């Protein structure tokens, strides 16, 4: 049962600083709820979240 639940959610970790990145990318971080390096959030897996992750994939770790 727990494996099925985990497929619906993504665990997202910010691994890079937001200093010096594009303002649009900062807004995406804010939209995901990430605030600082090594901050971890749990988000429901849907198209909008996957698009945000794709846009700033260079600064995230997703499991």
């Amino acid at each position: 049962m727990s494996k099925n639940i985990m497929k619906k959610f993504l665990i997202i970790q910010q691994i890079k600083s937001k200093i010096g990145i594009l303002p649009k990318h900062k807004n995406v971080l804010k939209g995901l709820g990430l605030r600082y390096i090594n901050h971890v959030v749990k988000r429901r897996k849907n198209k909008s979240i996957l698009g945000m992750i794709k846009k700033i994939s260079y600064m995230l770790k997703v499991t």
Side-chain angles (χ1 to χ4, degrees):
M1 177 97 176
S2 64
K3 287 184 179 182
N4 192 15
I5 292 173
M6 293 307 292
K7 289 182 182 179
K8 294 180 182 179
F9 289 93
L10 296 169
I11 298 170
I12 307 165
Q13 180 180 12
Q14 181 179 343
I15 57 169
K16 231 180 144 184
S17 172
K18 61 184 172 182
I19 296 173
I21 65 170
L22 295 172
K24 286 183 179 182
H25 291 191
K26 284 184 185 180
N27 290 337
V28 172
L29 279 174
K30 190 174 182 181
L32 286 171
L34 293 166
R35 299 178 182 161
Y36 48 85
I37 298 172
N38 292 327
H39 189 202
V40 177
V41 294
K42 185 176 171 184
R43 296 288 173 250
R44 188 170 291 277
K45 188 176 182 181
N46 59 37
K47 288 184 181 181
S48 62
I49 296 295
L50 292 175
M52 295 168 91
I53 290 170
K54 186 175 179 182
K55 184 165 240 168
I56 58 169
S57 62
Y58 65 93
M59 57 187 321
L60 299 176
K61 178 180 167 187
V62 181
T63 53

